[in-house]
Amino acid sequence: GATSQLTISAIGSQTAGTAFNVTVTAKDAQGNTTPSYTGTVSVTSSDSAAELPSSHTYVAGDNGAYAFT
């Protein structure tokens, strides 16, 4: 189905002030990964001191999931 949501996941617990990776996965209404997703995702934060990754435009090779580092 069509992408209706993006899910964010990270491994383990995170410590404030320490960098960590997150994976953003495009999903349909049933929770299945949508490998054809080609939108752009930007990570934002209300913390003005946060160091954030650049936006990413999904391509076919991402298969609906991208790890922001």
Side-chain angles (χ1 to χ4, degrees):
T3 300
S4 63
Q5 59 190 315
L6 298 171
T7 61
I8 301 171
S9 60
I11 297 173
S13 59
Q14 309 307 319
T15 303
T18 302
F20 61 95
N21 300 339
V22 295
T23 299
V24 178
T25 305
K27 304 251 181 183
D28 65 16
Q30 289 74 42
N32 301 305
T33 299
T34 51
S36 61
Y37 180 70
T38 55
T40 299
V41 172
S42 299
V43 178
T44 62
S45 174
S46 60
D47 181 349
S48 61
E51 294 182 25
L52 302 172
S54 299
S55 297
H56 177 72
T57 300
Y58 286 64
V59 296
D62 291 326
N63 292 313
Y66 182 77
F68 286 87
T69 57

